[in-house]
Each structure stands twice: as structure tokens, then as C-alpha cells.
Amino acid sequence: MVQKYQSPVRVYKYPFELIMAAYERRFPTCPLIPMFVGSDTMNEFKSEDGAIHVIERRCKLDVDAPRLLKKIAGVDYVYFVQKNSLNSRERTLHIEAYNETFSNRVIINEHCCYTVHPENEDWTCFEQSASLDIKSFFGFESTVEKIAMKQYTSNIKKGKEIIEYYLRQLEEEGITFVPRWTPPSITPSSETSSSSCKKQAASMAVVIPEAALKEGLSGDALSSPSAPEPVVGTPDDKLDADYIKRYLGDLTPLQESCLIRLRQWLQETHKGKIPKDEHILRFLRARDFNIDKAREIMCQSLTWRKQHQVDYILETWTPPQVLQDYYAGGWHHHDKDGRPLYVLRLGQMDTKGLVRALGEEALLRYVLSINEEGLRRCEENTKVFGRPISSWTCLVDLEGLNMRHLWRPGVKALLRIIEVVEANYPETLGRLLILRAPRVFPVLWTLVSPFIDDNTRRKFLIYAGNDYQGPGGLLDYIDKEIIPDFLSGECMCEVPEGGLVPKSLYRTAEELENEDLKLWTETIYQSASVFKGAPHEILIQIVDASSVITWDFDVCKGDIVFNIYHSKRSPQPPKKDSLGAHSITSPGGNNVQLIDKVWQLGRDYSMVESPLICKEGESVQGSHVTRWPGFYILQWKFHSMPACAASSLPRVDDVLASLQVSSHKCKVMYYTEVIGSEDFRGSMTSLESSHSGFSQLSAATTSSSQSHSSSMISR
């Protein structure tokens, strides 16, 4: 498995030239890096004007590895080749390094870059990326990987210290300023001499490689590195190391790398729906910084949030009065660590009455609003206390808990709420203080604990009776001044006292069922299942020409092909087949087929866009400006792997890919809207449409269905 590393942006508040002077002092050896024994210059090139300086070194490393492993490998030292390309004109330094020792068994590549800060030319930015691929190593592949990652992580931590050490050394020698590179002075012979000088400098990139070849350097020594270069961008594009420490906490270099790589993936695949950095970090922590696992649960959560409009729940949903009166919970100051404190008097709450009066969905939505408010309070406390706060503390008072709280539908609702919260708000609970636990509590705990993550369970502190008042109790976590009055404290707590919900507020089973369905399906997005041989299609009738069809859909499962067709006549209403497999609504999404099998493409209907292949996890937004009235059909079709043209036998990759979709079922979540062309520009801001290859009309498009469109796919 290839191990990858990507650093955050490290900012030095010193000019580029001074940083370069400090960097050069690391060679030929650096006492601050014990494993760096020495280095020899292999090749060196300087341009005539001094703007370009390329130097290639062979570095000798004494890797801290077991003596037995070194003896088996037959080496005492490991050699790396490092090529530094300094462009004083552009004020950049690109560093490329790769291993020379065991290059047929282990592949190590590193790329570093020093550039000028985009917002302050007197500051310098640094980034680095690396990859490690161990093909084979005498059966010690796992050991070598651990040693390599440990050594690399250690050197990353020292990187900034080393530069700052040599900066202090320069300052002690009285060097606090290094002038910028300037072109050699040339006596102007005419008014155009200065411009010709600029042209000469601009063409230097063409002349230099030829000269470099004469000096023994390859032409690519001066060209842009083949590996992706880390380019310093705006704060929205990259994460700054100081920002991470201030707002996200102390992370190891590998944890920083996981955060940055997952964030970059989200930027590429989920345009306009990127969670905040602290929330991405929560998902990584929940999966022990396993990027693949964290990405999987985060994508599921993002789809869930979008489908149920969770991002807007605080602004668009008002809790029913029953909840405001009888739900015995609320926010109450903060704990000693600055975490927001939520108080829940579960023992005083009539769970049966709330479920009978509101149903599961209203309770679930209320809990979601509490969690959203918790995220908001964490952000506020991070600013107030000047340190990262990403979770909250929950204080649960169980006084009054009895067997009526074990009412089966109530426990069922609780388990479902726990399941939803665990999946979508990981690592938000910093500590759970359970006070005055009665004898019946072990029964409830036995029912609930299997649904709670192990990491979350370790944050539980349970106190029976008045134990919370003794050593190691409540005072260790909450200041005395804010302990609620019902716990013998001095602070008045505005949390509702709960009590029995009047039976006059109860709903019938039918009312609750209808209410629950309404709450759960209250979303502008619809779900659809796409089967092999059974696409999902929706019909849009256009009366006025130049109307705009807009769409926004996510591919939740499998790969699909998205098509848009136009017909002058309306297709027949969908018929349900005898098996009920298609053209019906189901919990997994509906499937409707509109295009009749007897219809012929080009005669009965025409394709107005080239097919767009969309992979699992992609989000697509776009629009289509119609030129003709009629009936437009949006189609999501199962994407089958193409057969190998060179052979009748299937390729191994095709077989493996087909096995991954063994059910031949895909799932999409979509939203469409038709708006007038005059209102199009303002209405499309939320869809973030932009022109792409999908905007081009198919060559086979007929004149009766010509259109303009724009579409954006986020991969």
C-alpha cells in the first residue's frame, strides 16, 4: 500500500531571500538532524544572470533501524538524491528527492516548495508532499514502513525548528536582510533596450536548459517538476499550520496530512457542500484517521444532511410548544474546559407522553437542532477562549428514572436517535456526566450501550446517589458557580422541569404515522433507484421557449449515465409491472420509466445532450436552456462497463468492477426546477452552475431540439 503525506502551509514571517540564506546552512551536513551524516554535490548549474541556480546533491543518511535489519539488508547507510531548483526571479525553490538505495524495492519521492506568501511579499510559505511504496524488503515490509514513517515524521517536526535556528544564527552574525535578485545592469543603447532586456529574461527559460545540458544536467532539472507541485493559494484553498494549531488543536504531521488530503478530496467531489474543517476532523478522529473509512461515513452524512436540509434546521424549523414546555433539557454555560454544557433532566421527562404527542420524527428533529446548536456554540467558544473546542459536555440527571421510562416505543425512539446522532455527529460529545443513577439504570444501560460507539462510551462518567458531590465528582469538571440549583448548586438553571404531558395532547396512531411520514420526507430532494435495464426517468413539460431546466443530483450508489431527451409528444403514463419491481415508490427510492420500448431515437424523441457518465459519490449541478416547447425527459441509466474491444474475453478489471455492483442497482438523489430565463442568473447561485464539456451539443442533435446548457460535475 502506498503511504502518502501532504503538509499544511507553513508560514515564515521572514522574506524569501533570508529564508534561503538560512536553508543553505543545512548543507553539507546539519547537526540538528543526527541521521543526516553528509552530502556531496553531484551537479550544479547557474544561469548567466544568476537568477537560476540548480544543484543536485547525494545525501548520506544513518537511519535509526535495528542492527539485525541493517545486517540482513547489507547496508549501513541509506543514500538519497536531492535536486534543488532555485528561481530568484520568481522567488521560488523547488526541492525534489528520491531514494537511491534499494530503489528497486522501495520507492520514496518527496517534493517541497518555498514560495512568497500570496498576501505579504515579505513572508515565505513552505509546503511538502511525499509518498512511500514498499514493493518488497526481505519479508520485513511492515517493519520498514513503520521505521520510515517514524523517521519522516520526526524530521517534519524538526523542519521549522531548523530554519528558525539558522535564522537566529544569521541574526547573531548581524545578517537580518538579504537583497532581492536584480537583473545585471546593462547600459541602455536606446529606448527599447529595457524591453529587450525583459524579453531576454523571459526567454532565459529556453536558453538555460541547453546550457544546463552542457554542464551535465538533464533538461528536466530546470523544468517544472513532474509531480504535482504544492502551490500556495488563498486561505480558502490551503490550510495554514498556525491556523490548524489555533482552531483545530495539536495534530501529528500524519494527522495533519489526513485532514488536508480528505479536505482536498471533498473540494474536488462536493463543490459547494464542504463541511467545516473541525467537522471533517471529527470524522477522521471517529475512524482513527483512516481516510477511506472516514470518507465513507462522511459522504453518507453529507447526503443525509442535504436530503433533510439539516444545515437550515435552526433557521427554518420551530420546535412545537409541547417540546418547549415538556422537554427537560437545555444549554447551560460551559464546563471548566470551555466546552458548551447541555443539561438533560431525563428522570423528569415523560418520554412516553412526548412520543405519543409528537411521534419519533419530531423528537429526532429536535435532537438534531440541539446538535446543530452545539456545533455553533463550539465555534463561538473557540473564539472566546482562544483554543480549539470541538465538542460539548452533557450532564444527565436521572433522578426520577423508573420503569415507565423503559416503555418499549420510547426506548425504540431513543435507540434510533442515538443511531442517527452517532452516524452524523461523531466526536461531538466530549464528556457525559450521568448523575443520581437509580437501580433501574443498569437495565436501560444494557439496552442502549450496544448502540454507542466504544470511543463515546469511554467518555461516560456515572455517579450513583450523591457520589457526584464527593472527590472526583462534579466540581472536577464544572465550576461551583454554575452548578444547577437542582443539584444543590448556586446557579439558577432555566431548563424546563419536564413533567407529565397531558393526554389531551396525544395523537392517534394514524395521525402520528401521517405526521412522521411528512416530517421524514419534507425535503426538496427525491430518491430514485436505477436498475440494470430499468432507468429512472422524469418528465418536464415546457410551454414557453427559453425556459431553464435546472438539476442538482448526487450519485449515492453505483455509476450512472445522465441523459436529457426531447419529444414533441407526451409519453404514456408509466405502468406498473406485474412483479412490482419498477414504476413504484419504495423506501429505497422510486423507479419510473417513461420512454416506451417501441419509441425510436431520432424519430419519436431526440437526445439534446451528450451522455454524461457519473461515478459513485459525485455531485452534479447544471442547467439546460430550452429553445423549443415540448416534453423533456431527464434520465438516469445504469452504467455498464464497456467490453474490451481487442478481445472477446473480459478484462480482469472489468470483472472486478462488475462484482462491486453485484445487485445491478444504483441510487440517486435529485432535485429539478424549471424557471424563466430572465430569472435564471439569480436563481442559479445556489446550484453554482458553470460551463463544462457537458455543455456542448451532440453532433446528432436535431434542429427541433437545439438548446444551450451548462453543467458542472464535481469529481
Side-chain angles (χ1 to χ4, degrees), residues 417-435:
I417 289 172
I418 291 175
E419 183 180 13
V420 172
V421 171
E422 281 282 312
N424 298 285
Y425 299 93
E427 297 298 313
T428 54
L429 183 64
R431 184 180 295 118
L432 180 64
L433 303 170
I434 299 177
L435 276 54

Side-chain angles (χ1 to χ4, degrees), residues 394-406:
C394 187
L395 187 156
V396 180
D397 179 23
L398 295 183
E399 185 184 47
L401 189 75
N402 53 45
M403 292 302 295
R404 68 183 172 86
H405 290 89
L406 301 181

Side-chain angles (χ1 to χ4, degrees), residues 504-522:
S504 59
L505 298 177
Y506 285 11
R507 306 276 189 91
T508 64
E510 292 77 12
E511 289 175 334
L512 288 176
E513 183 178 355
N514 294 333
E515 184 78 7
D516 286 352
L517 181 63
K518 178 184 176 182
L519 286 168
W520 187 247
T521 59
E522 189 176 328

Side-chain angles (χ1 to χ4, degrees), residues 8-20:
V9 180
R10 186 182 301 154
V11 178
Y12 297 98
K13 297 182 179 180
Y14 296 91
F16 176 82
E17 289 72 23
L18 193 61
I19 294 295
M20 291 299 98

Side-chain angles (χ1 to χ4, degrees), residues 264-308:
Q264 289 175 343
W265 182 86
L266 287 169
Q267 287 176 327
E268 295 170 358
T269 59
H270 289 73
K271 298 276 186 181
K273 298 177 293 183
I274 304 299
K276 295 182 178 179
D277 298 323
E278 52 268 28
H279 203 51
I280 299 176
L281 189 58
R282 290 185 182 104
F283 282 92
L284 283 167
R285 283 176 171 150
R287 291 298 179 265
D288 295 325
F289 286 88
N290 183 308
I291 289 185
D292 293 334
K293 293 181 179 179
R295 178 168 52 203
E296 180 182 358
I297 61 173
M298 173 166 276
C299 286
Q300 293 172 356
S301 179
L302 289 176
T303 301
W304 171 83
R305 295 182 69 89
K306 180 177 180 180
Q307 183 174 9
H308 302 294

Side-chain angles (χ1 to χ4, degrees), residues 201-266:
S203 63
M204 194 67 69
V206 179
V207 178
I208 289 172
E210 298 179 0
L213 291 173
K214 295 179 182 179
E215 294 291 333
L217 280 176
S218 60
D220 63 354
L222 301 170
S223 63
S224 300
S226 58
E229 296 182 6
V231 180
V232 177
T234 64
D236 291 336
D237 298 328
K238 301 292 181 71
L239 289 184
D240 180 272
D242 294 333
Y243 162 83
I244 291 177
K245 186 173 182 179
R246 166 65 178 82
Y247 291 99
L248 304 179
D250 291 321
L251 304 178
T252 67
L254 294 182
Q255 289 173 345
E256 290 178 338
S257 175
C258 290
L259 172 63
I260 292 167
R261 288 163 56 199
L262 181 55
R263 188 176 184 267
Q264 289 175 343
W265 182 86
L266 287 169

Side-chain angles (χ1 to χ4, degrees), residues 445-642:
W445 178 249
T446 302
L447 295 172
V448 172
S449 59
F451 295 88
I452 301 175
D453 182 76
D454 290 339
N455 291 334
T456 304
R457 270 187 284 183
R458 285 193 286 266
K459 302 170 185 176
F460 284 35
L461 296 172
I462 303 174
Y463 301 90
N466 293 324
D467 291 349
Y468 70 92
Q469 297 177 348
L474 206 55
L475 284 174
D476 285 7
Y477 307 103
I478 301 175
D479 290 326
K480 181 180 179 181
E481 295 77 17
I482 63 172
I483 293 180
D485 53 343
F486 61 85
L487 294 175
S488 304
E490 302 174 358
C491 186
M492 291 296 296
C493 186
E494 298 180 357
V495 173
E497 295 183 359
L500 294 175
V501 178
K503 291 186 178 181
S504 59
L505 298 177
Y506 285 11
R507 306 276 189 91
T508 64
E510 292 77 12
E511 289 175 334
L512 288 176
E513 183 178 355
N514 294 333
E515 184 78 7
D516 286 352
L517 181 63
K518 178 184 176 182
L519 286 168
W520 187 247
T521 59
E522 189 176 328
T523 169
I524 61 174
Y525 292 90
Q526 300 183 53
S527 296
S529 297
V530 179
F531 303 91
K532 190 172 184 179
H536 177 68
E537 297 163 344
I538 62 173
L539 181 66
I540 299 177
Q541 183 176 4
I542 298 298
V543 178
D544 299 325
S546 299
S547 296
V548 182
I549 303 173
T550 65
W551 59 83
D552 178 3
F553 66 86
D554 292 311
V555 185
C556 305
K557 178 183 177 182
D559 299 342
I560 60 101
V561 180
F562 179 59
N563 290 304
I564 304 179
Y565 299 103
H566 173 263
S567 175
K568 295 182 179 179
R569 60 192 180 100
S570 173
Q572 294 297 320
K575 297 181 180 179
K576 297 182 181 179
D577 54 52
S578 58
L579 297 177
H582 307 134
S583 302
I584 62 172
T585 301
S586 66
N590 58 359
N591 177 271
V592 177
Q593 298 162 53
L594 299 171
I595 299 178
D596 198 297
K597 293 181 180 180
V598 300
W599 277 23
Q600 292 184 10
L601 184 63
R603 185 192 69 182
D604 300 292
Y605 67 107
S606 57
M607 182 181 293
V608 298
E609 295 291 347
S610 299
L612 179 65
I613 298 175
C614 308
K615 301 293 184 179
E616 181 175 326
E618 290 182 345
S619 178
V620 182
Q621 303 88 32
S623 62
H624 182 93
V625 182
T626 64
R627 286 292 183 89
W628 301 91
F631 300 91
Y632 287 81
I633 300 172
L634 274 58
Q635 180 192 76
W636 291 268
K637 184 172 66 174
F638 183 90
H639 175 56
S640 302
M641 296 296 294

